[in-house]
C-alpha cells in the first residue's frame, strides 16, 4: 500500500506541556483523512508539524516515503488551507494562485495556462481578475484550495477552513470539499472540532484527545463501534449513565445506575466485565424508540433483547429533522430521544406518559 | 437628541479644531503668501509682483540649498526606513506581548527631551574634545582629536535619530494588523524568505511605509535646530536660509517667498512619492 503521509511516533513538547504525544498514523494515497478533536487537543500543533511550522520534539514525518522533518516549510510539497484562508489581500485572484508557481520559477505562459485550468476546475473560470474582497465566503474558500492545488501537492492540509462560514454555506461547502477532493484525487488531511464535518467528508477519521489519538477508523466505525468512552461521547450525541454491574450472561451486561435504573447493554470494546465493576453506559438518542398508547402497555411483554421502560414527557425540543424529546424515567433519570417528524407524534404533549425501548445491542458500556 | 441639538453638539466639538486650523494654519499661510508677492520699491513703498520668486531662481545659492535640503531629506527618510523596518517588524511580529510596550517606550524616550537638549547631547558626544573623540584617542586608533561635528553624516545621523519614532509607529501599526498566517502561507506555497518579504510583507506594509515616509520627510525638510547645531555653517539647510532672510537680513518678503517655495516643493515631492508607490493619501496617512 502506498502512503502519501506517514506520521511515526511523533511528540511535541512546549516547555512542560505535551501538545502531541506519540502519535502515529498512515494515510493511503487519495483519501480524505480527518483529525477530529476538541480545541486544545493538539490537532493544530500536529498539522503545523506536518506543514513544517513547528519542529517535532521526537518522531518522524514521511511524505511519499521520504522524511521531511529536516526540510523547511517552503521545501515540503505539503500545502495548507489556513483557518482564515490567508489569501493575500494585496493581490487579485490570478496573482494569488500564480504566487506559488512564480516561487517555483514557472514561465509566464505556463502560469497563465495552469491558473486558467485550476479556475476551470473549481468552477470560477471568470474570476481571475477579481480582487479578493469582491469574492463571497464560498468563493474565497475555493480560491484558497485552488491556490494550493495548482502546485500539485502530495498532501493538502485543511485547518478548520469552514469555521468562519455561516451554517447554510458550511453544509454546502462540506459536499463541495468532498467533490473537490475527488476531482483532484489528492490526499486531504482535514482538521476540525466539528464532528459532522469529519463524518460527512472523511474516508477515515482520527479522534484526538489530550495529544493522543483515541481511535482511528471509518466514520461508520467510530459511530457504531466507539472504542473509548470519549469517542462514544464526542462522536454523535449520547445519553450517558454510570452504574455498577449486577450480572453478566451471554455477553449481555445488566447494570444498575446510581438512581436505580436497570439497563442491559453489551461491552463496546469486547472486554469482559465482572460483577460489581463500575461502568459507563452510552445510548444514542436515535437508537431509542417511542411507544404511545396501547403499544406502551404491551412493552412489558415485549420479551428479551430490549431495554424498555415507562416515561413521562418533560419537554420537546423542536429543530426540524433533528427534533428531540426529553423524557423522565420513574427513577428521575432524564433521557434524550430523537423525535421523528413523520406526523405520528404530533399529539404528544408535555406530561404525557409513554414508553421507550431500545435494543440491548444499542447500549454500549465501557469500564468506568 | 433632536436635530438642532445634534448640530450644536457637532459645532461645539468641531470649533476648537476649526479655530486651530483657521487661526494658526490658514490665516498665517495666507499672510505669508501675500507678503511673498510684495516687492519693496522704495522707503515704505510696496508693489505686488513675483520679484522675490524670480530672485530665488536667479540666485543658484538659494535653489541649490533647497535641492540639497530635499536630497538630504529623502536620504534621511530612506535611512530611517531601512533602520526602522526591522525594528518595527521585531516589535510587531516577533516580540512577545509584554515586551512590545517596553520596546515602544524605548523608541519614545528621545522625544521626552527637547530638540535642543537632544542636539547638545550629540554635541557632547561628537565634538573635538567630546567623548567619542577622547575614547578613540584613549584606545589608540587615532593620534589627535577628531572633529565629528559639522559634516553631512552627523546631520543625517542626528535627523534619523530624531525622526525614527515617526517611522516606527505607522509601521508597527500596519504590521501588527497583518495576520501571521499570511506569512506562513507565503512560506507554505514555496516562497523563500526574500520572496515572502518582497511579495507579501512589504506590499502589505506599503500604506504604513508611505505614511511613515511622508511624516519623516516633512519633519526632516522642515527641521531647523538639528541641522544648524550639528551641521554648523556648512549645513546649508533651507530653513536656515528662511531664518536668515527674516531675522538677519530683515527681508520678510523674500523669507516669505522661500517659505512658500519650501511648502510647494515638499508637497510636490510627497505627491511624486505617492504616485510612484501607487498609494493615495487616504490609504496611508489618513488610514483609520
Amino acid at each position: 500500500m502506498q502512503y502519501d503521509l506517514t506520521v511515526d511516533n511523533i511528540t511535541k513538547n512546549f516547555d512542560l506541556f505535551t501538545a502531541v504525544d506519540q502519535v502515529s498514523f498512515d494515510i493511503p494515497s487519495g483519501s480524505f483523512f480527518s483529525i477530529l478533536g476538541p480545541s486544545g487537543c493538539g490537532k493544530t500543533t500536529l498539522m503545523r508539524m506536518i506543514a513544517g511550522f513547528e519542529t517535532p520534539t521526537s518522531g518522524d514525518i514521511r511524505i511519499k516515503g521520504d522524511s521531511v522533518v529536516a526540510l523547511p516549510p517552503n521545501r515540503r510539497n505539503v500545502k495548507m488551507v489556513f483557518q482564515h484562508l490567508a489569501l493575500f489581500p494585496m493581490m487579485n485572484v490570478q496573482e494569488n494562485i500564480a504566487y506559488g508557481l512564480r516561487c517555483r520559477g514557472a514561465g509566464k505562459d505556463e502560469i497563465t495556462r495552469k491558473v486558467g485550468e485550476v479556475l476551470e476546475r473549481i468552477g470560477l473560470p471568470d474570476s481571475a481578475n477579481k480582487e479578493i474582497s469582491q469574492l463571497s465566503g464560498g468563493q474565497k474558500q475555493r480560491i484558497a484550495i485552488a491556490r494550493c492545488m495548482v502546485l500539485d501537492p502530495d498532501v493538502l492540509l485543511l485547518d478548520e477552513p469552514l469555521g468562519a462560514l455561516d451554517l447554510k454555506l458550511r453544509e454546502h461547502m462540506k459536499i463541495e470539499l468532498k467533490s473537490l477532493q475527488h476531482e483532484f484525487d489528492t490526499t486531504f488531511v482535514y482538521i476540525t472540532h466539528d464532528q459532522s464535518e469529519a463524518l460527512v467528508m472523511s474516508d477515515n477519521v482520527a479522534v484526538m484527545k489530550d495529544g493522543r489519538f483515541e481511535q482511528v477508523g471509518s466514520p461508520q466505525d467510530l459511530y457504531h463501534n466507539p472504542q473509548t468512552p470519549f469517542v462514544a461521547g464526542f462522536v454523535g450525541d449520547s445519553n450517558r449513565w454510570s452504574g455498577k454491574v449486577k450480572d453478566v450472561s451471554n455477553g449481555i451486561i445488566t447494570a444498575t445506575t446510581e438512581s436505580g435504573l436497570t439497563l442491559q447493554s453489551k461491552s463496546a470494546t469486547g472486554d469482559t466485565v465482572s460483577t460489581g465493576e463500575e461502568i459507563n453506559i452510552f445510548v444514542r438518542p436515535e437508537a431509542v424508540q417511542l411507544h404511545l398508547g396501547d403499544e406502551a402497555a404491551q412493552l412489558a411483554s415485549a420479551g428479551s433483547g430490549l431495554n424498555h421502560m415507562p416515561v413521562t414527557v418533560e419537554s420537546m425540543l423542536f429543530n426540524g429533522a433533528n427534533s428531540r424529546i426529553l423524557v423522565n424515567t420513574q427513577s428521575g433519570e432524564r433521557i434524550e430521544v430523537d423525535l421523528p417528524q413523520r406526523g405520528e407524534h404530533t399529539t404528544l404533549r408535555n406530561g404525557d406518559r409513554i414508553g421507550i425501548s431500545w435494543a440491548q445491542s444499542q447500549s454500549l458500556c465501557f469500564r468506568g | 437628541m433632536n436635530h438642532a441639538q445634534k448640530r450644536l453638539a457637532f459645532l461645539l466639538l468641531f470649533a476648537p479644531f476649526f479655530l486651530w486650523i483657521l487661526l494658526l494654519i490658514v490665516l498665517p499661510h495666507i499672510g505669508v503668501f501675500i507678503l511673498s508677492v510684495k516687492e519693496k520699491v522704495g522707503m515704505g513703498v510696496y508693489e505686488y509682483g513675483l520679484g522675490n520668486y524670480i530672485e530665488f531662481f536667479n540666485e543658484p545659492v538659494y535653489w541649490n540649498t533647497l535641492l540639497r535640503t530635499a536630497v538630504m531629506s529623502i536620504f534621511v527618510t530612506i535611512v530611517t526606513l531601512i533602520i526602522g523596518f526591522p525594528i518595527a517588524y521585531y516589535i510587531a511580529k516577533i516580540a512577545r506581548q509584554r515586551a512590545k510596550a517596553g520596546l515602544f517606550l524605548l523608541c519614545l524616550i528621545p522625544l521626552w527631551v527637547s530638540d535642543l537638549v537632544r542636539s547638545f547631547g550629540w554635541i557632547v558626544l561628537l565634538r573635538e574634545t567630546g567623548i567619542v573623540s577622547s575614547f578613540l584617542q584613549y584606545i589608540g586608533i587615532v593620534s589627535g582629536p577628531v572633529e565629528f561635528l559639522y559634516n553631512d553624516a552627523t546631520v543625517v545621523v542626528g535627523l534619523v535619530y530624531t525622526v525614527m519614532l515617526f517611522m516606527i509607529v505607522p509601521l508597527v501599526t500596519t504590521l501588527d494588523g497583518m495576520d501571521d498566517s499570511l506569512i506562513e502561507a507565503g512560506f507554505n506555497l514555496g516562497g523563500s524568505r526574500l520572496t515572502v518579504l518582497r511579495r507579501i510583507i512589504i506590499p502589505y506594509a506599503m500604506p504604513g511605509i508611505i505614511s511613515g515616509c511622508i511624516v519623516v520627510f516633512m519633519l526632516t525638510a522642515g527641521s531647523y535646530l538639528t541641522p544648524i547645531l550639528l551641521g554648523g555653517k556648512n549645513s546649508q539647510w533651507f530653513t536656515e536660509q528662511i531664518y536668515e532672510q527674516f531675522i538677519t537680513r530683515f527681508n520678510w518678503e523674500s523669507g516669505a517667498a522661500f517659505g512658500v517655495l519650501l511648502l510647494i516643493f515638499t508637497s510636490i515631492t510627497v505627491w511624486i512619492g505617492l504616485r510612484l508607490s501607487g498609494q493615495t493619501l487616504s490609504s496611508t496617512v489618513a488610514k483609520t
Side-chain angles (χ1 to χ4, degrees):
Chain A
M1 187 108 179
Q2 163 86 45
Y3 294 118
D4 270 353
L5 177 66
T6 303
V7 169
D8 191 5
N9 222 357
I10 207 167
T11 299
K12 176 72 184 177
N13 297 321
F14 292 108
D15 297 330
L16 291 172
F17 173 69
T18 304
V20 177
D21 193 6
Q22 296 184 328
V23 168
S24 297
F25 59 94
D26 300 296
I27 304 177
S29 288
S31 66
F32 198 122
F33 186 86
S34 291
I35 299 171
L36 172 65
S39 49
C41 73
K43 56 189 192 301
T44 302
T45 308
L46 180 58
M47 176 165 274
R48 290 175 61 81
M49 284 193 285
I50 300 171
F53 298 125
E54 305 279 359
T55 316
T57 311
S58 68
D60 196 16
I61 299 167
R62 288 188 291 276
I63 291 166
K64 289 225 192 277
D66 301 322
S67 175
V68 294
V69 171
L71 289 181
N74 54 352
R75 304 259 311 278
R76 300 185 185 194
N77 200 13
V78 174
K79 301 303 162 210
M80 184 159 171
V81 176
F82 287 82
Q83 190 163 13
H84 301 292
L85 306 179
L87 293 170
F88 305 130
M90 54 284 178
M91 304 181 195
N92 65 17
V93 169
Q94 150 94 25
E95 289 165 338
N96 260 284
I97 298 175
Y99 172 85
L101 293 168
R102 283 174 65 171
C103 288
R104 214 176 248 189
K108 247 193 177 136
D109 297 338
E110 189 193 349
I111 290 176
T112 318
R113 183 174 53 80
K114 283 201 165 170
V115 171
E117 272 172 21
V118 81
L119 283 173
E120 195 81 45
R121 280 178 107 168
I122 58 161
L124 294 170
D126 303 322
S127 48
N129 293 317
K130 281 193 182 156
E131 294 299 322
I132 296 303
S133 54
Q134 290 174 292
L135 302 174
S136 71
Q139 287 172 330
K140 281 183 190 163
Q141 197 90 51
R142 281 187 271 173
I143 298 299
I145 292 169
R147 186 174 74 170
C148 295
M149 295 316 296
V150 76
L151 299 168
D152 292 318
D154 294 327
V155 177
L156 181 70
L157 305 174
L158 300 105
D159 184 10
E160 301 199 38
L162 304 187
L165 303 180
D166 60 63
L167 185 70
K168 256 292 200 274
L169 188 55
R170 198 155 64 214
E171 293 300 319
H172 175 72
M173 282 309 294
K174 276 184 211 166
I175 301 162
E176 191 156 309
L177 267 178
K178 182 72 189 159
S179 57
L180 277 173
Q181 193 251 334
H182 272 296
E183 166 86 28
F184 288 109
D185 197 26
T186 300
T187 304
F188 277 35
V189 180
Y190 190 92
I191 295 252
T192 184
H193 63 263
D194 182 319
Q195 44 149 320
S196 118
E197 287 175 16
L199 296 181
V200 167
M201 295 187 283
S202 315
D203 298 314
N204 279 295
V205 180
V207 179
M208 198 172 179
K209 184 202 173 198
D210 298 336
R212 286 172 169 276
F213 277 5
E214 289 267 310
Q215 187 177 353
V216 185
S218 69
Q220 292 83 350
D221 214 29
L222 293 178
Y223 181 82
H224 292 298
N225 304 308
Q227 295 299 302
T228 69
F230 178 78
V231 176
F234 194 71
V235 178
D237 292 331
S238 282
N239 292 291
R240 178 182 188 154
W241 295 275
S242 45
K244 236 186 187 115
V245 178
K246 285 276 172 264
D247 177 53
V248 185
S249 65
N250 290 334
I252 299 298
I253 299 156
T254 308
T256 315
T257 67
E258 281 151 357
S259 63
L261 191 65
T262 303
L263 296 171
Q264 294 180 318
S265 52
K266 63 166 203 172
S267 168
T269 51
D271 293 350
T272 45
V273 190
S274 43
T275 310
E277 248 185 295
E278 294 278 343
I279 56 167
N280 286 309
I281 304 165
F282 292 85
V283 176
R284 299 207 181 276
E286 53 271 35
V288 182
Q289 293 217 327
L290 298 170
H291 304 275
L292 312 182
D294 295 343
E295 226 181 290
Q298 287 161 15
L299 259 184
S301 54
S304 61
L306 282 184
N307 286 296
H308 57 79
M309 62 201 69
V311 291
T312 315
V313 176
E314 185 194 310
S315 62
M316 318 241 240
L317 311 171
F318 182 75
N319 182 20
N322 301 318
S323 298
R324 294 275 166 84
I325 179 170
L326 297 179
V327 297
N328 284 327
T329 66
Q330 284 167 331
S331 56
E333 300 268 6
R334 180 196 281 165
I335 304 178
E336 208 175 321
V337 180
D338 255 24
L339 185 62
Q341 296 296 311
R342 287 188 295 264
E344 67 260 52
H345 300 307
T346 45
T347 55
L348 268 184
R349 293 289 172 268
N350 291 351
D352 281 3
R353 290 173 179 283
I354 58 170
I356 59 169
S357 73
W358 68 90
Q360 288 162 353
S361 59
Q362 294 282 359
S363 51
L364 299 173
C365 73
F366 297 89
R367 277 212 183 95
Chain B
M1 214 193 283
N2 65 31
H3 191 68
Q5 275 173 320
K6 261 187 195 167
R7 228 181 126 74
L8 182 68
F10 171 75
L11 283 176
L12 285 175
L13 287 170
F14 188 67
F17 175 73
F18 178 75
L19 287 175
W20 177 55
I21 290 285
L22 182 76
L23 295 177
L24 296 174
I25 313 282
V26 177
L27 286 182
H29 274 85
I30 292 174
V32 165
F33 179 74
I34 291 172
L35 200 58
S36 75
V37 291
K38 274 183 179 170
E39 284 173 69
K40 197 173 186 178
V41 286
M43 275 296 264
V45 188
Y46 292 92
E47 255 175 31
Y48 287 102
L50 292 174
N52 296 314
Y53 293 92
I54 292 162
E55 190 196 336
F56 169 83
F57 288 104
N58 282 339
E59 179 58 74
V61 170
Y62 294 152
W63 54 261
N64 275 339
T65 311
L66 182 57
L67 273 184
R68 187 184 134 80
T69 304
V71 170
M72 290 271 283
S73 300
I74 290 170
F75 184 68
V76 167
T77 309
I78 292 168
V79 171
T80 313
L81 176 62
I82 291 170
I83 298 174
F85 195 87
I87 299 174
Y89 189 81
Y90 185 85
I91 293 176
K93 286 279 157 240
I94 300 170
R96 284 159 197 263
Q97 201 58 44
R98 253 194 305 167
K100 276 185 190 182
L103 288 168
F104 239 132
L105 209 64
L106 278 180
C107 299
L108 198 72
I109 281 176
L111 292 190
W112 286 0
V113 264
S114 86
D115 228 6
L116 197 64
V117 175
R118 233 180 302 150
S119 297
F120 276 119
W122 281 108
I123 290 172
V124 167
L125 276 177
L126 298 177
R127 67 181 170 183
E128 232 173 327
T129 53
I131 293 167
V132 176
S133 172
S134 311
F135 180 73
L136 289 180
Q137 288 176 72
Y138 174 74
I139 60 168
I141 289 183
V142 291
S143 51
V146 187
E147 178 64 272
F148 288 101
L149 287 173
Y150 315 125
N151 60 52
D152 288 355
T154 309
V155 173
V156 169
V157 168
L159 282 170
V160 166
Y161 168 77
T162 312
V163 294
M164 185 56 78
L165 182 76
F166 298 95
M167 183 62 87
I168 287 178
V169 169
L171 283 178
V172 167
T173 314
T174 17
L175 287 172
D176 220 15
M178 181 179 191
D179 189 352
D180 284 350
S181 64
L182 286 179
I183 300 169
E184 286 181 349
F187 285 120
N188 182 257
L189 294 166
S192 61
R193 280 167 192 273
L194 189 68
T195 318
V196 171
L197 178 70
R198 205 170 51 85
R199 303 243 1 244
I200 294 164
I201 299 172
I202 290 180
Y204 189 94
M206 211 46 171
I209 291 173
I210 297 301
S211 165
C213 285
I214 290 175
V215 174
V216 163
F217 175 77
M218 288 300 217
L219 282 174
T220 311
S223 67
Y224 176 74
L225 265 178
T226 311
I228 299 303
L229 290 177
L230 298 184
K233 285 270 175 272
N234 301 326
S235 71
Q236 295 194 17
W237 214 254
F238 196 65
T239 45
E240 193 187 347
Q241 205 62 257
I242 297 174
Y243 177 86
E244 199 178 289
Q245 296 295 334
F246 269 104
I247 308 297
T248 316
R249 299 204 184 170
F250 214 68
N251 188 350
W252 282 40
E253 293 73 29
S254 169
F258 285 12
V260 171
L261 282 166
L262 180 64
L263 180 67
I264 292 170
F265 197 77
T266 49
S267 303
I268 288 173
T269 313
V270 167
W271 181 76
I272 291 172
L274 284 172
R275 289 304 293 264
L276 285 180
S277 64
Q279 301 285 327
T280 59
L281 265 187
S282 55
S283 75
T284 54
V285 182
K287 199 177 181 184
T288 46

